[in-house]
Amino acid sequence: MNKMLIATLSLALTAAALAHAGHDEATTFTLTEKDAVFTLDGPASVAPGYTAFAFSNTAGQPFAPVVARLKGNVSDADVKAALGELMASHGENMSAIEKIAEFTGGSAGVMPGGTFEFGTTLTPGRYVVFGFGASEDGKPLYDLGQYRSFTVAGAANGVTAPKADVKATLQDFKVVLPATVKAGKQVWEVSNAGQETHHVMLMRLKDGKKVSDVEAFFKAPDPSQAGEPPFEDVGGLEAISKGHSAFVSFDLTPGEYIVVCFLPSAKEHMPHFMLGMMTGLSVK
């Protein structure tokens, strides 16, 4: 499959405005835009403990925010240099950023006027929120204002995580979750039990389509000849490093779905879905 397509699929899969349960007041980051320059507003400091994030996009293009905890004494310049290596590899080489940061969640795409919410437990340290992607002229969005750091410090907030309706465990390379879930609003707890960084993307199969049709679509050697996607995007949760968990909510209609990880394997040199991280799910 075309490498550029693989790298951009997870960013193109638009996460709908997902309502997160379990926390009345979310820690909000708002993206604004003026003359193709962005501003990402949010708190400078957050208390440790379970935290619900809300990302509001008032800009004119999709926003793909990712939250990461920095390791040790890492500067913003270090982060942007590592992200530059990731961008240069079209999203395939995550080694530089993984050496200096742990991913705690995010969205593959918050549409203009939309909001995305997820929750995770924060430990003390320095964190960054950055928008992954580039402008039409190739400039990284984190260099155009889609970047903000914040500190997690002070007394614990005492907030407990919500009760999960569905638990999804990400392994190298398998998604472990129930074969069937109930339709309607539900909270998913997504945990990374593997060694590599993973994410989850949900897609509802179009009527008459099967998982094998999705596999054929993604593995097509020429994306221009792959035809119409046999699925509809539902949403997802962006990158989570090993040992981390996050909570996200979905409102699912009855049907057949697939749960996929598109991130690349540095060890196996191919996308995770080609290594087994494409799982069917029935919603009834």
Side-chain angles (χ1 to χ4, degrees):
M1 183 178 179
N2 182 279
K3 291 183 177 181
M4 177 64 79
L5 179 60
I6 293 171
T8 57
L9 268 171
S10 63
L11 299 178
L13 291 172
T14 302
L18 305 176
H20 175 78
H23 195 351
D24 292 332
E25 296 184 4
T27 297
T28 301
F29 288 84
T30 302
L31 182 71
T32 58
E33 178 184 6
K34 183 177 181 181
D35 298 327
V37 177
F38 300 92
T39 300
L40 183 56
D41 291 317
S45 181
V46 177
Y50 181 80
T51 302
F53 286 98
F55 295 96
S56 178
N57 182 12
T58 68
Q61 65 182 66
F63 175 38
V66 179
V67 182
R69 183 183 185 277
L70 304 182
K71 301 177 182 179
N73 188 23
V74 177
S75 68
D76 291 333
D78 294 330
V79 176
K80 292 184 178 181
L83 289 174
E85 293 189 30
L86 178 61
M87 290 285 292
S89 71
H90 305 298
E92 293 188 4
N93 185 2
M94 301 180 68
S95 59
I97 190 64
E98 287 179 329
K99 287 179 180 178
I100 63 173
E102 298 175 336
F103 297 107
T104 60
S107 171
V110 187
M111 295 302 289
T115 299
F116 172 84
E117 301 186 11
F118 82 98
T120 190
T121 298
L122 302 179
T123 57
R126 185 165 176 262
Y127 289 70
V128 295
V129 178
F130 63 88
F132 188 77
S135 62
E136 291 184 359
D137 57 0
K139 295 180 180 179
L141 295 176
Y142 50 80
D143 279 338
L144 296 176
Q146 294 191 19
Y147 186 97
R148 186 176 180 87
S149 64
F150 65 96
T151 302
V152 175
N157 60 25
V159 177
T160 57
K163 181 180 178 180
D165 302 298
V166 177
K167 293 188 177 182
T169 302
L170 312 179
Q171 301 177 352
D172 303 336
F173 297 96
K174 184 179 180 181
V175 181
V176 180
L177 76 169
T180 302
V181 301
K182 292 182 178 180
K185 295 181 179 180
Q186 53 199 262
V187 178
W188 285 38
E189 179 181 5
V190 181
S191 301
N192 187 351
Q195 294 299 308
E196 297 198 11
T197 300
H198 296 294
H199 68 193
V200 290
M201 297 295 154
L202 271 69
M203 291 167 282
R204 187 181 187 279
L205 296 180
K206 292 181 179 178
D207 292 343
K209 298 299 181 180
K210 301 178 182 179
V211 173
S212 58
D213 296 317
V214 179
E215 292 177 343
F217 175 82
F218 286 132
K219 293 178 180 179
D222 184 353
S224 65
Q225 301 298 318
E228 290 294 322
F231 56 82
E232 298 173 345
D233 304 330
V234 175
L237 181 70
E238 258 304 337
I240 306 176
S241 294
K242 64 178 182 180
H244 288 268
S245 297
F247 293 79
V248 65
S249 297
F250 297 102
D251 189 355
L252 303 179
T253 59
E256 297 300 316
Y257 292 70
I258 57 170
V259 183
V260 187
C261 178
F262 291 106
L263 294 186
S265 171
K267 181 179 180 180
E268 303 295 338
H269 304 291
M270 63 178 64
H272 291 171
F273 78 88
M274 296 184 70
L275 297 168
M277 295 193 76
M278 182 182 291
T279 302
L281 174 70
S282 294
V283 177
K284 299 181 179 181

